[in-house]
Structures are given as C-alpha cells and as structure tokens.
Amino acid sequence: MMRSILLALPGNDDMATKLAALLDIDVGVVDCHVFPDGEILPRFETDLAGRHVILVCTLARPNDKILPLLFAAATARELGATQVGLVAPYLSYMRQDRRFHAGEAVTSRHFATLLSRAFDWLVTIDPHLHRYKSLSEIYSVPAVAEHAEPLLGDWIARNVKDPFLIGPDEESRQWVELVARTCGADYAVMTKQRLGDRDVRIVPEQLDRLAGKTPVLLDDIISSGKTMLETLRLLKQQGAKAAVAVAVHGVFADDADELIRACGATLVTSNTVPHPTNAIDVSPLLSRAITALELKTGL
Ligand code: R5P
C-alpha cells in the first residue's frame, strides 16, 4: 500500500493515526477553513498526485460533515489522486430505508448515491441494516461492513461478572445473539414500540433468567437514548443489579449519555464516534477491511 495515504477530516485524527500505524502508510493533512459566514474551504497540505487517497470521516451528525467530505473527495481527484476511498466508522442515514409515510424521502438511498458518486469504495462498522440485507442494495461502489460484536463480546467477558445480555428490540437480536456466543452469556430480547423520535415503550421478555446476574444492555446505536433509558427503567422496576449499557455507536443526542449514567449504568461504546465512553477500539477491523479491499481492487 505504498501509494496509499490517509487523511483525517476534522475530529478524526485519532482514528486516522491508529489506522496509519496498523496499515503502515503515510498520514497527510487536509485543513478545513471555516469562513465567518459558515462556508468552508478544504485544503490539502500534502501532495496527492498518483496516490491512493483514504479519507477518514465518521458520519455522526452528518449534515455538517458531508459537504466538507464531498469537497475533499472531489479536490483529491483534481489534485491527481488515482483512487479515493472513504473510511466512515459510523455510517449515517441508514434508518430511513423505505418511504414510511406518503411524500417522505428515502434518505438512505440519496445519501448512498452521493457517497457512491464521490468515492471508489467505502468501509464502515455495523451500519444499521434492517430492511436492507447489505450495503450493496444502495451503494454502487464496493462497500464493506465490518462487525464489532466479537470485540463487544470480548470486552464484556473481560469486564463484567455473570453478564446477562439484554437486547431492547427485535432488531438487536442479530447483535445480541452474536455477542452472547462470544462471551458465553445467556440473553433475552425485549419488544419495543416506537411511538415517536423520543418516545419508546419496552415490553419485558424472559427476564426471570436475569436473577443474580449483571444486566448488559446491548444496542447498535444510542441516539436519543430513549431505548436504553426505558430499558433501564424496566430493569429498575424488576429490582435488577446496576446495569452496563454497551453500544457500537454512541451518537448521543443532547445529554443522552449523562441521563444514562444518571440511572447508575456503566456506559461503554466503541470508538466509531469519538466520546469519553469509548472503550472498544475498532481500528483493527477497519484496517483489516481496507487490506482486504486492497487485495480485491489493487489499492
Ligand atoms: C433502532 O432500532 C436501533 O437499533 C436503536 O435501538 C435506536 O437507534 C436507538 O435510538 P434511541 O437512542 O433514539 O432510542
């Protein structure tokens, strides 16, 4: 990968440094100037001619990030990059995977179209695949999704005594079953009703087996935090021990992280979105995916 170079969009330096070390490639600099009126001006401070450019940009709170990213990708090509790839540890705009109400945009498709036009490939971690079975249904470039569940399982096995895994909804079953296998724990999956963006009801299922164990709530994303908070409330009602809340992507709208911790829960996330609760490093997964792409596409 001698011709590859990694560049971090603002806020992604830690991940870029880790990946560059694992892949043994150079790190370049892209500055992103913000004018007083909010317009932005990306500028590469590294020669990109003939290089395979890898931009690192996690996409939590994506609206402010997508324009600098698209400008940077287009500029990299103008400056002679032979390929432009994207490492987006968290890939946003996956929830709207169909038109739920008349007139709504199917934003997952539009977002995928934008990124597929700008990049030659994409690598991410646990995108929220629900009605889509794989990213290739909406991304027209090679799009590799790595899975953090084994790392979550390892963390739980090393840090939690007698864990009992709890998935808050049917969608989480896929992750909970995998993690349960890795750490050899029992688990139960609740039923969730979403009544609004910040309004969910969790119906308990099979919690009788929880007695004496440490509840470990597991989800792919914490956004408003309501899913975790409602599940924690339920556990409190059941007289459960203090819980551990584990998520791959801690997006945390408003003070969601504080509210979860205020319930007495230990909060743990992976570093797909930089946050003080990051305890699980996914850079080896991303580096493995980039290397696999290199073998397939001759990066
Ligand atoms: C949705 O089904 C996901 O798996 C998560 O449960 C959801 O994104 C969490 O959202 P919130 O934190 O807003 O309840």
Side-chain angles (χ1 to χ4, degrees):
M1 298 182 76
M2 301 232 341
R3 294 162 65 78
S4 300
I5 184 162
L6 254 153
L7 300 105
L9 274 288
N12 293 273
D13 299 285
D14 282 358
M15 182 57 81
T17 306
K18 283 193 167 76
L19 286 175
L22 288 168
L23 294 162
D24 193 20
I25 59 177
D26 297 340
V27 183
V29 176
V30 54
D31 175 59
C32 216
H33 178 72
V34 184
F35 290 101
D37 58 12
E39 287 192 4
I40 45 136
L41 175 62
R43 173 172 174 265
F44 287 97
E45 296 177 8
T46 310
D47 183 13
L48 302 182
R51 309 294 298 264
H52 295 158
V53 167
I54 304 173
L55 298 182
V56 183
C57 185
T58 200
L59 288 167
R61 295 180 178 76
N63 297 354
D64 288 346
K65 296 190 175 121
I66 189 68
L67 212 46
L69 185 59
L70 295 179
F71 287 158
T75 307
R77 286 190 203 284
E78 287 169 1
L79 297 177
T82 49
Q83 262 197 33
V84 186
L86 170 64
V87 177
Y90 172 68
L91 183 63
S92 51
Y93 279 114
M94 289 299 295
R95 55 151 67 89
Q96 184 78 6
D97 53 7
R98 60 176 249 220
R99 202 180 317 282
F100 295 96
H101 303 103
E104 280 179 354
V106 183
T107 49
S108 55
R109 285 193 179 278
H110 300 311
F111 198 69
T113 302
L114 278 177
L115 291 184
S116 298
R117 280 187 191 140
F119 292 95
D120 294 302
W121 52 264
L122 159 80
V123 168
T124 189
I125 302 283
D126 288 313
H128 188 76
L129 293 170
H130 183 200
R131 272 160 282 263
Y132 300 130
K133 293 288 163 268
S134 90
L135 288 174
S136 62
E137 287 183 42
I138 49 175
Y139 282 80
S140 59
V141 292
V144 179
E146 283 287 335
H147 302 285
E149 290 73 26
L151 300 183
L152 268 49
D154 287 347
W155 186 93
I156 293 165
R158 276 186 284 107
N159 294 282
V160 185
K161 194 162 172 274
D162 294 332
F164 183 90
L165 307 188
I166 297 173
D169 54 25
E170 240 346 275
E171 282 170 62
S172 67
R173 182 178 292 278
Q174 49 184 316
W175 302 291
V176 173
E177 283 180 351
L178 268 170
V179 175
R181 246 177 274 146
T182 315
C183 64
D186 193 5
Y187 68 92
V189 176
M190 313 294 104
T191 305
K192 178 167 90 178
Q193 240 190 314
R194 184 168 284 283
L195 307 169
D197 291 347
R198 293 165 195 272
D199 191 6
V200 299
R201 297 273 182 284
I202 308 283
V203 179
E205 309 279 352
Q206 302 178 315
L207 283 181
D208 44 309
R209 300 202 308 276
L210 168 64
K213 300 202 168 147
T214 307
V216 180
L217 279 55
L218 204 68
D219 212 348
D220 60 337
I221 304 167
I222 304 176
S223 176
S224 72
K226 294 298 176 192
T227 300
M228 283 289 184
L229 286 166
E230 272 304 296
T231 314
L232 287 168
R233 200 176 57 80
L234 196 80
L235 291 171
K236 201 167 183 188
Q237 277 174 1
Q238 311 256 338
K241 284 187 180 175
V244 182
V246 183
V248 180
H249 310 293
V251 175
F252 300 127
D254 308 322
D255 52 354
D257 49 343
E258 289 309 316
L259 293 174
I260 292 169
R261 281 196 284 215
C263 291
T266 304
L267 183 55
V268 166
T269 60
S270 88
N271 59 348
T272 60
V273 182
H275 189 268
T277 55
N278 292 166
I280 297 162
D281 177 20
V282 296
S283 62
L285 302 179
L286 294 166
S287 136
R288 184 174 74 188
I290 297 167
T291 307
L293 270 170
E294 175 201 17
L295 295 177
K296 247 200 222 161
T297 63
L299 266 184

